[in-house]
Amino acid sequence: MAEGPTINTIARHAGVSIASVSRVLNGLPTREETVRRVLRAAEELGYVPNSVARSLKSRRTNQVAFAMADIGNPVYLAMVREIQPVLRAAGYRLLLHSTDADVADELDVLRGLGERYVDGLIMIPLRVTEGHLSALAAARAPVVVIGSVPEGAGVDNVRADSRTGVRLALDHLYGLGRRRIAFVNGPADTVPGAARAAAYREALDALDLPYDEDLVEVGDFYRAEGARAVRTLLDRAGDVDALMCANDLIALGALDVLRRAGRRVPEDVAVVGMDDTDLAAVAWPSLTSVSLGSARRGRAAAELLLDRLENGKREPRVVTVEPRLAVRASTVGARAAEEYGENGAAEEAGDGGEGAREAGRAAGGEGIR
Amino acid sequence: MAEGPTINTIARHAGVSIASVSRVLNGLPTREETVRRVLRAAEELGYVPNSVARSLKSRRTNQVAFAMADIGNPVYLAMVREIQPVLRAAGYRLLLHSTDADVADELDVLRGLGERYVDGLIMIPLRVTEGHLSALAAARAPVVVIGSVPEGAGVDNVRADSRTGVRLALDHLYGLGRRRIAFVNGPADTVPGAARAAAYREALDALDLPYDEDLVEVGDFYRAEGARAVRTLLDRAGDVDALMCANDLIALGALDVLRRAGRRVPEDVAVVGMDDTDLAAVAWPSLTSVSLGSARRGRAAAELLLDRLENGKREPRVVTVEPRLAVRASTVGARAAEEYGENGAAEEAGDGGEGAREAGRAAGGEGIR
DNA sequence: TTGTAAGCGTTATCAA
DNA sequence: TTGATAACGCTTACAA
């Protein structure tokens, strides 16, 4: 932990000026002899350029931040896993912000951009308030928002399409002959909760199925509460033959409850989750789930940001990621699920997954595949 | 994205010197009137101090890095979840490095400390080579290593105790009357692989059980390969009545294979995993697993680093985290498991978990609980 | 109480 | 080709 050498140290050591040192270190044309002496001194002293000083001068930090509610959330995690390598390949370091679901925290992050500790930000807000819009407009660095933001917001925007996603799931269930398709949602006042509720109604309409209030139950987005909601639902509407769950955790809770109630999955009740997290493949029976493309959204966001960092003034762009349905045992049975192949999480990982897999293996930990 | 104001801008605006601006902004004694003018100007101009300039001057970045193989690995993820809030509370930002299981990358991170973009580093190396030791010795910022490092390495060190961990598991199985306890390990040339293999032999010894090569199979640390290993094992030693798996993913693979083979868990074969990841509670039957305290190790590492950052010159410290056994259905059956209560992952999260849980809920994603 | 000026470690301009 | 020097935005002696 010795005090590190600076270009001054090197300059003295090599008997040249700091300007020459800088030139050599930056590969600018310099006399052979000077180059040698500088490099030799740098080598001997173990010189490493100070990135803070460099940043002050260049006005670039080569750092990018990702702000989400909680890294423990598999959806955000999938994003980080894609974002990290993309940024890294472009020479950026990744900084993580957990906003703890706190709107004020999110706004702080946005204002914090003024401190210039990062060159850009990818953020996934819980909800988009007026405060967000004005903070975004005033942001002192490029921001990419994951999650819908009004057109005029002036930021790059990556969107999921839960509408189509729910539609895929209901079509699938309908195709399997299910007609009493219940919906277990999280809080309606959250962005995803609202979007998924609307999507459910629409999908029913499209299938000419009636909207039946008895078939809808709201809890939160967690397993225990999901289980409770499903119990209530079953008590109220015993003839349910399919459950559309607003995320995978709710679906896991549903599987527990159904098992205890002696209902077979999928024979008696088919179950579909949402987000297609790693858990879906681990569950038993394995869980059919709608992928909203967390990984692809993360990647898209990173790419948008990089592009914007190189190309400051271009029109804001909106990217929408197509949902996909990962069909597994909880709707078609274990046998058939194997024929479908593992078309869920595995696909998501795509090219970005390989390094990670290698990593986990050598580390003796567990990547999830 | 307008160019931000600096103390110069404010100084001109307020008609004072930059020194006065700095003083006011740092709360140093200043005349009332000056304070007012400066604050007013700062407010009007939307001044935000430039953290890069501040860092250059103060020689502190208020950033800390965490380097691990792959954030997608649940073990590391659990660590990040604990590390982040601890650092944040102390005013540090968290920077993530994925080393992709590459030793050279790890060494790069260590050397990179010379760039002074962080004040300290928490790292969890895949293995500890000579190169690591010398890089650690030469590190230009405090480092905390998670994973055993030789005494003289001169860095703070947080250790798991897989020896005791395996012992806990085997005692548990023995107590349930199991005597043919097989071991499914990952590669023996990895740190955890080697440690767990040795621990298995020792635990057998302690129980006066014979070491039987037929009961040991090595694969990697993933589910598919774990499944393969278990198949091989069952073919070779059909009388196995318990499986000790070197991590949870292997154990998940084992559950699949046993299910297909028509062996009941735990009646015919009891299964124990290791690391007690979130997946253990999701599996069916839920998985008894040895917690090596990922979350606690993360927290301990963060605390060691913070302490070291405040208190540069103290003796390196070694913290060892006690393993715990999370008993679930895969060894005692579903009924009994409920009586044990959820003594696994839930406990791990501890006080650090609440904010995260809230976060996930509002976000409509899924924290894992 | 305030202002001037030096310095943190770079990069880049401009003469020499 | 090279060196002296001025920024970058901030903190902090030191003088006034």
Side-chain angles (χ1 to χ4, degrees):
Chain A
M1 248 182 291
E3 280 307 311
T6 74
I7 51 171
N8 276 288
T9 328
I10 299 190
R12 274 199 306 276
H13 216 78
V16 298
S17 74
I18 62 166
S20 288
V21 175
S22 178
R23 274 189 290 261
V24 170
L25 263 23
N26 290 296
L28 298 180
T30 316
R31 184 164 55 115
E32 180 81 5
E33 163 68 7
T34 312
V35 171
R36 252 201 308 276
R37 281 164 57 191
V38 168
L39 290 183
R40 181 143 162 275
E43 170 75 16
E44 283 179 9
L45 298 172
Y47 171 78
V48 181
N50 181 312
S51 64
V52 176
R54 187 173 281 188
S55 289
L56 179 59
K57 185 69 183 151
S58 67
R59 297 153 163 281
R60 304 178 62 259
T61 59
N62 292 308
Q63 297 187 154
V64 162
F66 177 53
M68 77 282 141
D70 164 29
I71 183 63
N73 183 319
V75 173
Y76 303 148
L77 176 60
M79 292 178 179
V80 174
R81 289 182 73 169
E82 290 293 308
I83 292 173
Q84 214 266 344
V86 174
L87 293 181
R88 184 185 181 185
Y92 287 89
R93 303 189 201 101
L94 177 62
L95 227 131
L96 232 51
H97 279 296
S98 276
T99 56
D100 276 355
D102 185 359
V103 173
D105 269 1
E106 291 182 355
L107 299 185
D108 280 348
V109 170
L110 247 16
R111 288 198 208 91
L113 292 177
E115 294 178 29
R116 315 226 88 113
Y117 63 96
V118 287
D119 298 335
L121 169 71
I122 298 173
M123 117 172 295
I124 166 159
L126 302 173
R127 58 201 83 218
V128 180
T129 65
E130 279 304 314
H132 281 86
L133 294 181
S134 57
L136 283 172
R140 294 250 169 88
V143 179
V144 177
V145 173
I146 303 183
S148 294
V149 129
E151 288 297 333
V155 295
D156 291 323
N157 189 201
V158 178
R159 298 178 181 178
D161 180 359
S162 44
R163 193 144 295 185
T164 304
V166 173
R167 181 69 193 277
L168 283 176
L170 263 59
D171 285 355
H172 173 64
L173 291 169
Y174 191 94
L176 294 169
R178 311 296 165 136
R179 294 299 179 268
R180 296 288 286 167
I181 305 174
F183 180 51
V184 190
N185 199 7
D189 66 337
T190 61
V191 173
R196 290 164 200 194
Y200 169 71
R201 290 195 81 132
E202 267 187 34
L204 284 183
D205 265 8
L207 291 170
D208 260 330
L209 289 176
Y211 178 85
D212 179 349
E213 281 193 352
D214 281 354
L215 292 185
V216 176
E217 184 67 24
V218 171
D220 62 21
F221 281 108
Y222 286 82
R223 189 179 181 183
E225 177 62 15
R228 189 215 46 80
V230 171
R231 269 191 298 270
T232 308
L233 204 48
L234 290 181
D235 285 348
R236 194 167 59 206
D239 64 334
V240 161
D241 60 10
L243 283 175
M244 171 75 222
C245 302
N247 78 1
D248 283 354
L249 264 207
I250 295 174
L252 291 179
L255 292 182
D256 281 346
V257 170
L258 290 168
R259 182 157 36 222
R260 277 168 218 240
R263 307 270 198 129
R264 294 166 305 159
V265 175
E267 292 84 351
D268 302 328
V269 180
V271 176
V272 178
M274 195 154 211
D275 285 335
D276 192 29
T277 62
D278 287 338
L279 304 173
V282 171
W284 181 259
S286 63
L287 187 66
T288 293
S289 187
V290 177
S291 164
L292 294 177
S294 322
R296 281 170 286 145
R297 278 183 286 157
R299 169 172 289 266
E303 286 166 351
L304 279 176
L305 185 56
L306 285 178
D307 179 81
R308 166 64 53 120
L309 286 173
E310 320 232 292
N311 183 0
K313 294 301 179 213
R314 53 139 233 259
E315 284 301 296
R317 232 172 258 164
V318 176
V319 173
T320 300
V321 168
E322 284 302 301
R324 299 174 188 173
L325 186 66
V327 177
R328 299 199 185 85
S330 69
T331 54
V332 297
R335 189 94 38 104
E338 293 191 6
E339 282 159 24
Y340 272 87
E342 178 51 68
N343 60 359
E347 173 190 26
E348 276 283 313
D351 40 3
E354 182 57 33
R357 191 177 310 136
E358 261 308 305
R361 171 176 304 145
E366 48 263 75
I368 194 76
R369 310 287 164 223
Chain B
M1 248 179 291
E3 280 307 311
T6 73
I7 51 171
N8 276 288
T9 329
I10 299 191
R12 275 198 306 277
H13 216 79
V16 299
S17 73
I18 60 167
S20 288
V21 175
S22 178
R23 274 189 289 261
V24 171
L25 264 23
N26 291 296
L28 298 180
T30 316
R31 185 163 54 115
E32 181 82 3
E33 164 68 7
T34 311
V35 172
R36 252 202 308 276
R37 282 166 53 193
V38 168
L39 290 183
R40 183 141 161 275
E43 170 75 15
E44 282 179 10
L45 297 172
Y47 171 79
V48 180
N50 180 312
S51 64
V52 175
R54 186 172 282 188
S55 290
L56 180 59
K57 183 70 186 158
S58 66
R59 297 151 161 280
R60 303 179 62 259
T61 59
N62 292 308
Q63 297 188 154
V64 162
F66 177 53
M68 77 282 140
D70 165 28
I71 182 64
N73 182 317
V75 174
Y76 303 148
L77 176 61
M79 292 178 180
V80 174
R81 290 183 73 168
E82 290 293 309
I83 292 173
Q84 214 266 345
V86 174
L87 293 180
R88 185 186 181 184
Y92 287 88
R93 303 187 200 103
L94 177 62
L95 228 130
L96 232 51
H97 279 296
S98 277
T99 56
D100 275 355
D102 185 359
V103 173
D105 269 3
E106 292 182 355
L107 299 186
D108 279 349
V109 170
L110 248 14
R111 287 198 209 90
L113 292 177
E115 292 178 30
R116 315 225 89 109
Y117 64 95
V118 286
D119 298 336
L121 169 70
I122 299 174
M123 121 172 294
I124 166 159
L126 303 173
R127 58 200 84 218
V128 180
T129 66
E130 279 304 315
H132 281 87
L133 294 181
S134 58
L136 283 172
R140 295 250 169 86
V143 179
V144 177
V145 173
I146 303 182
S148 294
V149 128
E151 289 297 335
V155 295
D156 291 323
N157 188 200
V158 179
R159 301 178 179 177
D161 180 358
S162 44
R163 192 144 296 185
T164 305
V166 173
R167 179 70 193 276
L168 284 176
L170 263 60
D171 285 355
H172 174 63
L173 291 169
Y174 190 94
L176 293 170
R178 310 296 164 137
R179 294 299 179 268
R180 296 288 286 167
I181 305 173
F183 180 51
V184 190
N185 199 7
D189 66 335
T190 61
V191 173
R196 290 165 201 192
Y200 170 71
R201 290 194 80 134
E202 267 187 36
L204 284 183
D205 266 7
L207 291 170
D208 259 329
L209 289 176
Y211 179 83
D212 179 350
E213 281 194 352
D214 281 355
L215 291 185
V216 176
E217 183 68 24
V218 170
D220 63 20
F221 281 108
Y222 286 82
R223 191 180 180 183
E225 176 61 16
R228 187 215 49 77
V230 172
R231 269 192 298 270
T232 307
L233 204 48
L234 290 181
D235 285 348
R236 195 166 60 207
D239 64 333
V240 162
D241 60 10
L243 283 176
M244 171 75 224
C245 302
N247 79 0
D248 283 354
L249 265 206
I250 294 174
L252 291 179
L255 292 181
D256 281 346
V257 170
L258 291 169
R259 182 158 37 223
R260 279 169 217 239
R263 307 268 198 129
R264 294 165 305 160
V265 174
E267 292 83 352
D268 302 327
V269 181
V271 176
V272 179
M274 195 152 208
D275 285 335
D276 193 28
T277 62
D278 287 338
L279 304 173
V282 170
W284 181 258
S286 63
L287 187 66
T288 293
S289 187
V290 177
S291 164
L292 294 178
S294 322
R296 280 171 287 145
R297 279 183 286 159
R299 168 171 290 265
E303 286 167 350
L304 278 177
L305 185 56
L306 286 179
D307 179 81
R308 166 66 52 123
L309 286 173
E310 318 231 293
N311 183 359
K313 295 300 179 211
R314 54 140 231 258
E315 284 302 296
R317 231 172 259 165
V318 176
V319 173
T320 300
V321 168
E322 283 302 299
R324 299 175 188 172
L325 185 66
V327 177
R328 299 200 185 84
S330 69
T331 54
V332 298
R335 188 92 40 101
E338 292 191 6
E339 282 160 24
Y340 273 86
E342 177 52 70
N343 60 359
E347 174 190 24
E348 276 285 311
D351 39 2
E354 181 58 34
R357 191 176 311 137
E358 261 307 306
R361 171 176 306 146
E366 48 265 73
I368 194 75
R369 311 286 164 224

